[in-house]
Amino acid sequence: LTPLLKHRAELYNKAKENLAKLEMEGRVFWIAPSDTSNWGRTDKSQEKLDMMYKEGYETGLSLLEDLRKYLAK
């Protein structure tokens, strides 16, 4: 477990690179926030959590038609 924790940032970045590659190949449809710079993974502020939820919901809605096209392939 300790080696995984030491390298978690590297593993996360590698996973994101792999997902981006798969998305470019058309093998996955990736829905993710466009900007997470103001987010913390342990945020407890209800206002911030509501903002993140709303942003995610709006991102999902904006990609809905593209997702339908992807799933129809």
Side-chain angles (χ1 to χ4, degrees), residues 17-54:
E17 289 173 17
N18 288 338
L19 276 171
K21 181 181 176 209
L22 291 170
E23 183 181 40
M24 290 185 73
E25 294 171 357
R27 296 174 59 196
V28 297
F29 188 90
W30 186 11
I31 302 172
S34 58
D35 180 23
T36 59
S37 61
N38 293 322
W39 297 15
R41 55 187 181 91
T42 58
D43 271 318
K44 294 191 181 358
S45 160
Q46 188 62 47
E47 183 179 328
K48 205 167 197 181
L49 292 170
D50 288 343
M51 181 187 71
M52 289 187 282
Y53 173 83
K54 183 179 177 184

Side-chain angles (χ1 to χ4, degrees), residues 44-71:
K44 294 191 181 358
S45 160
Q46 188 62 47
E47 183 179 328
K48 205 167 197 181
L49 292 170
D50 288 343
M51 181 187 71
M52 289 187 282
Y53 173 83
K54 183 179 177 184
E55 188 175 321
Y57 184 84
E58 289 173 0
T59 298
L61 283 179
S62 72
L63 295 172
L64 192 55
E65 190 56 38
D66 291 337
L67 177 58
R68 285 185 176 130
K69 289 176 187 174
Y70 176 82
L71 293 173

Side-chain angles (χ1 to χ4, degrees), residues 2-14 41:
T2 303
L4 290 176
L5 290 175
K6 283 184 179 179
H7 301 287
R8 74 176 192 268
E10 294 166 27
L11 294 169
Y12 173 80
N13 290 334
K14 185 65 177 169
R41 55 187 181 91

